Amino acid sequence: MGKADKSRKKHGRKKGSLAASRPPNPADKAANNTLRESTVLPVVKNLSSTSPKERAEAVSAINNLLQDATCRQLLLRERVVQKLMEEMLNDSSQEVVVYAWGALRNISVDEGYDQSIFMYRKNILTPVASALQKISCTLNSRRTNPGSLNSTEQRILWLYAENVIGLIAGLSETSEEVAGAIVKLEILPLLMEVLNEPSERLESLHETVAQCLYSLTEESDDFVEAIVSDRSNYVSLLLKLRDRSSPSLKSLYICGSLHNISLALKGTDVAADQEISDFNIVPILTDFLKSTPATSPTDDEQKVLAFKQLVLEILASIATEATDGVPELVLGADQDDGIDYMSEDGDGKDVGAPEELDGSLRADMEMIVGDESNQDSPDSGEGTVLHYLVISTGPALLSIVKSGAGGSLPIHMRALSVLNNIAWTVDATLSEGSALWERWQKLAHEIWKICVTPVLVANTADVELAEAVTGLAWAVSKSMKGGFDVSQGEHRAFVSLYHAANTDELRTKCVGVLGCLGLAQGRIEVNQEIGVFLMTLVSSGANTPASPLAEALNAIFDIYADAEFDYDEPVFVRNAFLDHLSKAIPGVRSAFKKIDKNKFPEDRLRADDALLNLQRFIRYKKKERGN
């Protein structure tokens, strides 16, 4: 439920591979044995050759073999990681050492978490620290004596640095513990020094350094603090690269690093002084989204996809925090609605509004559906991150979805995630009546038309896509109180999707959407269908999973909060929903007791609140119409 978080499996990283998870096939096994005997074993054997040239050729060959998933798995079974770490990193040949670091880096990239953690537990950071020291010493020597390295030696130095730093970037993405251990190596000065190298031939190295900065700023507050503590050098360099860079992975990683820094410094004077603000990053990212990286003969489709995925990943994170300059308001009931409640002990006196209620029951109902009557309207929101996201980024995201994301499901899904997070932030922070709210209404209807309805009508079998679209539908329909066109039976599609869902998360999202769609007045038949569905879930009690059950109750509280709603009499009253709710209490209590409060304390608290509010709601509805 709610906003989509950034995934740790960035930039195409994997935990394991398909080759390791497929069931064994006799034909494949025979082919693999042949491949092992003819190709893998000879290369592994040559790692122990007495000839530096043969060892270098062997490690180079391993780097080539690692590009094939099957060969990679065969190499891993031959304990190639251990051989590289224990032998090749200490080789007398610098060429062998550099290629060995490259092989470890490639394994970290292709195998992701599992192999990266394995290396960390095998103490890879000890040789990493030694390598960093050697690189720093060589750079110092080169700085004091510019002619000390010939062109070949410089090329080897930069490749050495790129492979070591690339492995560090991969390791830092595994966990905060690993990132913290890396930060203790005091790698920051070296990263900044390399990043400040002016040579255009170092673009690949600069990209790797920028990726490392991005990963470490995401995982380590200590690393962020170290950057900010040297404001005049480090922060200024990052800002310069942000402002002057053309679309490239390097510039994108820099934007991501600045966003991570802004998160760590949110609310402090440092962020304002150094112009480290998402407001300065969102326009750059949005422009990047509309374009593709500068292409060259070596660029390929995968690199373009990685670029776009990273843009969307950073935007998704920014959208969750886009509250700067916007009062923290909950998108609420109209100021003039005047929803009225009756005290449990009240006498039902008319005090100016239809059947206005007083006392403790009013408080009960305010706790159930929220009291937003005292919220102030914000200004237009112009000049804020949210304003830019709604006005400029949102339409760009819709273009991606509308175009089918070039056939790339990951791009499509990430675009939906950003829209989802924008919608939840709008719902949590923006009040009706502002100019920005008017623009959001238009965008929300476009989202529903372009992103939601086509998927529902097509009855997609893609569970991941259905879940993403349902989450987005919940966010936008909540912000708009369900005021969308459902003439193509969208509400029925969500009921069907609930029954087809195989996770409680998707079921809960379906209920959340329906609860919002049921709020719209002027369509009693739609409310009847939604209301009956929600009541069926509640009446089923212990047979309904706890999470969607709690959401169904909360939806009922919101939809039928006022007798003046046009659907209350024909739906809630004539269908005897109140009697059904009263009879459902034992089953609801039984369902919620199944939630282990020790393992899932938040879920249990939410469920207990729903049960308490159910009892309050029943008392309120009994008195609302004078019994």
Side-chain angles (χ1 to χ4, degrees), residues 262-337:
S262 75
L263 284 182
L265 300 178
K266 195 154 190 173
T268 69
D269 294 336
V270 175
D273 291 345
Q274 295 298 324
E275 298 181 0
I276 306 172
S277 167
D278 287 342
F279 183 69
N280 296 317
I281 298 172
V282 173
I284 298 174
L285 295 176
T286 302
D287 287 343
F288 285 179
L289 199 62
K290 297 174 183 176
S291 63
T292 56
T295 57
S296 69
T298 59
D299 286 333
D300 57 23
E301 185 178 347
Q302 285 300 113
K303 192 166 184 178
V304 173
L305 289 176
F307 179 90
K308 289 185 177 180
Q309 287 187 60
L310 188 55
V311 173
L312 294 168
E313 175 185 298
I314 299 169
L315 283 172
S317 178
I318 289 175
T320 67
E321 304 290 337
T323 57
D324 60 316
V326 183
E328 292 191 5
L329 306 179
V330 177
L331 184 62
D334 293 337
Q335 302 292 322
D336 299 326
D337 278 354

Side-chain angles (χ1 to χ4, degrees), residues 448 452-453 456 484-498 510 513-515 517-518 523-531 533:
W448 187 266
V452 178
T453 296
L456 294 177
F484 291 116
D485 178 16
V486 293
S487 60
Q488 296 190 56
E490 286 87 344
H491 58 298
R492 298 189 194 100
F494 282 116
V495 172
S496 298
L497 183 57
Y498 175 93
C510 291
V513 178
L514 291 165
L517 294 178
R523 50 189 196 196
I524 294 174
E525 290 184 4
V526 172
N527 183 276
Q528 166 86 10
E529 292 180 54
I530 293 174
F533 169 73

Side-chain angles (χ1 to χ4, degrees), residues 184-203:
K184 290 178 181 178
L185 300 179
E186 298 184 353
I187 188 178
L188 180 59
L190 175 61
L191 295 179
M192 289 300 186
E193 182 179 358
V194 173
L195 198 60
N196 205 27
E197 282 282 336
S199 176
E200 294 180 358
R201 292 176 297 175
L202 301 180
E203 185 61 30

Side-chain angles (χ1 to χ4, degrees), residues 595-609:
I595 303 174
D596 189 328
K597 64 175 63 177
N598 295 319
K599 292 182 179 180
F600 310 102
E602 293 183 3
D603 292 344
R604 180 59 182 268
L605 179 61
R606 184 169 180 268
D608 289 343
D609 285 344

Side-chain angles (χ1 to χ4, degrees), residues 331-332 423 426-427 432 437-446 448 473-484 516-517 519-520 523:
L331 184 62
V426 165
D427 177 64
E432 295 181 22
W437 167 253
E438 298 300 322
R439 296 296 295 269
W440 168 250
Q441 282 187 302
K442 181 179 178 181
L443 179 61
H445 282 287
E446 286 294 301
W448 187 266
W474 187 4
V476 293
S477 61
K478 190 171 189 296
S479 71
M480 296 291 293
K481 298 181 183 177
F484 291 116
C516 296
L517 294 178
L519 289 169
R523 50 189 196 196

Side-chain angles (χ1 to χ4, degrees), residues 124-126 128-130 132 168 180-189:
I124 187 64
L125 293 190
T126 295
V128 163
S130 177
L132 292 175
I168 291 171
I182 291 171
V183 171
K184 290 178 181 178
L185 300 179
E186 298 184 353
I187 188 178
L188 180 59

